[in-house]
Amino acid sequence: MILQGGRDISIVQPPPLLSVLPVTARPASSTALPLELIQTMNYTFFIHLLATDSGRILPPGKSLLSMMSAPRTNAQSDGELPKLEDRVKDLVHKAFWNEALESLSDPSPAIQLPRLKRLYEDILSTISPLLPRHHPILGTLAAPLSPTSDPSRLAIMHLREILVALRERCSPARDPVIDGLIRVVDEPSDLASPQNLAQRVTDAARGILELSEVMKEDLSQFVLGAMDEKDLKMMVTQHAMLREKALVLHLWPPSRLEPSWKTWIRDLDVSLYPDAEPVHPPHRRWSFRLVQALGSGSPVSCPLPTLRAPGSDGDNVEDMSHDLDKPLNIVPPPFFVTCPALFAAQNHLQALVIAASLRSLVRLPPQSRVSADDAAQDNSASFSLRIWTLLKGAADEESGSEDTKVVNLADEVVRMRRACAEHNHPCPPEEEARLRAAVDRTLQPRDPVFLLLQKRLLQALATWLVSSPAPAAGDHGASTPIHMQTGREMPGKRPRLHHGLENPQSVFVGWERERGRVPHIKGFEDDVLAKEVGETFKRVGRVADWTDRVWQDLIETGEIGGSNEKVASEHEAGTTSTSK
């Protein structure tokens, strides 16, 4: 983020340095990474999550602004005597608050209300830069005070609302201070004296004014406090996209990144995804290639290029993908930051196939009977939910899920078969043994049922990724294009990522592309599975859309900063080939 004077600062505050990066080099290789690079990578992963999945980063009850704050340091050293100016300020402030306490302790509302209104004006001018322009509490402070026989109690209610609003937007380091002030304005007793109420009001108001000044110093830029969450989200997205591309190009220069991307695209197996065949030019088929990688039995990975430590085999920068024992499912550098999200999606896709395979073993009644039979519907839903809970816990590596084994899944299948068995045809021990063997066989990646369901799921995902939303009723215009076409008539190179946020067409606004509805897939019709299919598809779609925006030049031309003439010539060549 560029501020006045061209100073580049970090707009968000990452947590302490992670001991293990989301994507790391293997310990077996002698990897030498500068500490500054590790910190940069840690920060880039952090801000990417903040832009794409902030729920995993933000503490409960915190807004996005709270992560853009850094606690200030005390300017006065320990043991340093206060200056004359500080002593004068303390005397003036003490006199101010003594006068406020005296006025608010007066039993007459006619004395309290004017003094309370002036106090509200001071608070309003102080907290306005910290809250959005249309925040309700700002309107309350600006409005005339309502006539009341007990202004102090009304003030306590308003001050509590102010503290709650500030707590959402302050740095987490300030939470203890605000919590202490909230305890000051907790609902007072009905027997509380006017002096006690006045003391609560002045203590809370003084704390709010002091805290607001501290929060302003915490913020990287005062104007951030007046932004709403949508504006802040756009700013974080801009910062994340630019930082991500800069990091990847620092690790992999274009001379290495471009060939790796083209090689990866050429490895697409069109026989698995027939919908990719008519897509021209071929580099537009990258979404299908991504789905092919997610369907692999090997985990997706994006190894770091490494610098061999002195004394090891060579001191030059090498790409770990050239190792003899390299992983079988390496994605190119543009997926370096999104690789953890792809790995999670890969696990979820495999879990969905397993759940659908197990469901095929229990002989559940047809969907029409399930809809009419409440008992059958309950059994079907409970089985799918229990199976998915076990598989999702293992896929997300939740605490305690490491004990999930095939025997647990087999137990659920047997239990469900017993529940669905008719009274005159119970499930004998021999049938249970066959079921357990079938579970073990079905979970093998080469099982025909597993492969069939996986093929259906992956082909549906690939088709959905390149789909467009259905046009609205009466709308016969063109649907949303898969790739942005504007500006192609301009000669020369055009920048792909703009720094200006005032442009409503900015690439940082609405980077997620609209698509058609998630299709119904045979074998995944169950309500629980259908819901999870939709969530997993959208997770992959977010990665695809993010990559499409950050690396648009590479995706459209095969080059970093590729020219528009090349795009036009490839498009024309593809059209000619299709016509032939």
Side-chain angles (χ1 to χ4, degrees):
M1 176 181 177
I2 305 299
L3 300 182
Q4 288 81 358
R7 186 165 60 93
D8 187 12
I9 69 167
S10 297
I11 64 171
V12 293
Q13 301 301 318
L17 183 63
L18 300 178
S19 58
V20 179
L21 290 170
V23 181
T24 60
R26 286 169 293 175
S29 61
S30 303
T31 305
L33 291 178
L35 179 60
E36 294 80 3
L37 178 58
I38 295 177
Q39 292 173 337
T40 300
M41 292 167 63
N42 178 67
Y43 177 75
T44 304
F45 278 101
F46 169 77
I47 194 175
H48 173 80
L49 280 177
L50 196 61
T52 59
D53 194 5
S54 58
R56 295 178 55 188
I57 299 294
L58 296 178
K62 285 295 180 182
S63 68
L64 194 59
L65 182 68
S66 67
M67 305 307 294
M68 305 169 111
S69 306
R72 68 172 181 175
T73 56
N74 193 354
Q76 181 174 318
S77 303
D78 295 338
E80 182 181 346
L81 295 177
K83 299 178 181 179
L84 177 61
E85 181 182 358
D86 296 331
R87 294 200 300 269
V88 173
K89 284 183 178 179
D90 290 341
L91 290 175
V92 173
H93 289 174
K94 184 177 181 180
F96 175 86
W97 291 111
N98 287 340
E99 184 274 332
L101 178 61
E102 181 180 354
S103 299
L104 295 177
S105 299
D106 194 290
S108 172
I111 303 296
Q112 294 184 42
L113 285 173
R115 186 64 188 88
L116 196 58
K117 180 59 179 175
R118 294 199 301 272
L119 196 59
Y120 276 18
E121 292 173 352
D122 293 336
I123 295 176
L124 176 62
S125 64
T126 303
I127 69 172
S128 292
L130 300 174
L131 298 175
R133 293 184 298 274
H134 304 295
H135 197 284
I137 195 60
L138 298 181
T140 300
L141 294 175
L145 286 174
S146 303
T148 176
S149 60
D150 199 345
S152 294
R153 290 188 181 274
L154 178 65
I156 286 175
M157 179 182 66
H158 291 161
L159 293 173
R160 183 180 179 86
E161 293 177 5
I162 294 172
L163 289 169
V164 171
L166 292 179
R167 195 183 192 283
E168 293 179 353
R169 304 175 73 80
C170 73
S171 168
R174 306 300 175 196
D175 287 352
V177 177
I178 293 188
D179 292 340
L181 292 174
I182 290 178
R183 288 192 292 270
V184 170
V185 293
D186 274 343
E187 188 66 29
S189 169
D190 293 336
L191 302 178
S193 63
Q195 291 77 15
N196 178 269
L197 296 177
Q199 188 68 57
R200 288 171 180 259
V201 172
T202 54
D203 289 347
R206 184 172 186 172
I208 288 173
L209 292 175
E210 293 175 352
L211 177 69
S212 299
E213 295 301 327
V214 173
M215 288 178 61
K216 289 178 183 178
E217 294 186 21
D218 286 346
L219 291 176
S220 301
Q221 199 177 15
F222 291 173
V223 69
L224 296 179
M227 289 184 176
D228 56 25
E229 287 289 298
K230 183 179 179 180
D231 294 332
L232 291 172
K233 187 76 172 179
M234 181 173 59
M235 183 176 293
V236 171
T237 301
Q238 176 203 30
H239 194 56
M241 287 184 173
L242 295 176
R243 287 293 294 256
E244 176 178 330
K245 192 165 191 176
L247 172 65
V248 173
L249 290 177
H250 175 71
L251 294 172
W252 290 272
S255 60
R256 301 177 64 196
L257 187 149
E258 293 168 358
S260 67
W261 175 264
K262 294 174 182 177
T263 301
W264 182 73
I265 296 293
R266 283 197 298 267
D267 289 340
L268 172 65
D269 187 352
V270 183
S271 63
L272 296 176
Y273 304 98
D275 289 344
E277 183 66 35
V279 177
H280 288 280
H283 60 71
R284 298 277 179 81
R285 303 172 181 176
W286 74 276
S287 296
F288 295 91
R289 181 64 182 88
L290 177 62
V291 176
Q292 180 178 319
L294 295 176
S296 171
S298 301
V300 291
S301 61
C302 186
L304 281 167
T306 59
L307 179 63
R308 299 298 178 180
S312 61
D313 298 335
D315 296 336
N316 297 324
V317 175
E318 299 179 2
D319 194 329
M320 292 182 62
S321 63
H322 296 311
D323 293 345
L324 294 178
D325 56 342
K326 66 178 182 180
L328 300 178
N329 195 14
I330 294 178
V331 292
F335 297 106
F336 176 64
V337 175
T338 56
C339 194
L342 291 177
F343 177 70
Q346 186 181 24
N347 280 339
H348 275 239
L349 289 171
Q350 190 174 47
L352 284 167
V353 175
I354 292 175
S357 301
L358 295 177
R359 198 172 182 277
S360 67
L361 297 176
V362 296
R363 298 179 186 174
L364 291 172
Q367 193 67 25
S368 56
R369 282 187 54 193
V370 169
S371 302
D373 189 342
D374 292 340
Q377 186 175 14
D378 291 341
N379 285 334
S380 175
S382 63
F383 172 74
S384 300
L385 185 59
R386 287 195 306 273
I387 286 292
W388 180 249
T389 301
L390 290 173
L391 293 171
K392 183 177 183 296
D396 294 341
E397 298 181 352
E398 297 176 357
S399 177
S401 62
E402 60 273 5
D403 296 331
T404 301
K405 297 181 175 63
V406 175
V407 64
N408 303 119
L409 301 175
D411 289 342
E412 292 295 335
V413 172
V414 170
R415 192 197 67 80
M416 189 63 193
R417 176 64 69 85
R418 290 173 178 170
C420 294
E422 300 179 0
H423 294 291
N424 54 346
H425 293 90
C427 184
E430 299 81 9
E431 178 68 12
E432 290 187 15
R434 285 194 295 270
L435 272 179
R436 294 184 182 276
V439 169
D440 187 61
R441 182 178 62 253
T442 303
L443 297 184
Q444 299 300 319
R446 296 305 172 192
D447 178 73
V449 175
F450 186 98
L451 291 175
L452 176 62
L453 292 172
Q454 184 185 51
K455 181 180 179 181
R456 291 174 180 171
L457 183 65
L458 295 178
Q459 287 185 346
L461 172 59
T463 303
W464 179 79
L465 283 177
V466 298
S467 67
S468 298
D475 183 10
H476 302 289
S479 59
T480 304
I482 296 178
H483 295 275
M484 292 184 291
Q485 309 289 330
T486 57
R488 285 192 172 172
E489 70 282 357
M490 298 172 58
K493 298 181 180 180
R494 62 186 173 97
R496 299 295 176 172
L497 294 178
H498 302 280
H499 287 269
L501 296 178
E502 68 281 354
N503 182 4
Q505 301 300 323
S506 169
V507 296
F508 310 113
V509 182
W511 55 269
E512 294 186 64
R513 187 174 67 80
E514 293 185 12
R515 294 180 173 84
R517 296 182 59 181
V518 175
H520 295 285
I521 308 171
K522 187 175 182 180
F524 299 86
E525 302 94 343
D526 178 81
D527 291 342
V528 175
L529 297 186
K531 178 175 179 279
E532 296 301 332
V533 165
E535 293 297 325
T536 304
F537 278 23
K538 291 174 184 177
R539 175 181 297 188
V540 178
R542 283 193 292 270
V543 173
D545 295 341
W546 182 271
T547 305
D548 200 31
R549 288 299 175 94
V550 177
W551 300 98
Q552 184 179 352
D553 49 359
L554 178 68
I555 290 173
E556 292 188 354
T557 69
E559 298 178 358
I560 302 298
S563 64
N564 301 309
E565 286 83 353
K566 180 172 181 177
V567 175
S569 62
E570 288 185 350
H571 179 71
E572 182 179 355
T575 305
T576 304
S577 175
T578 303
S579 63
K580 289 180 180 180

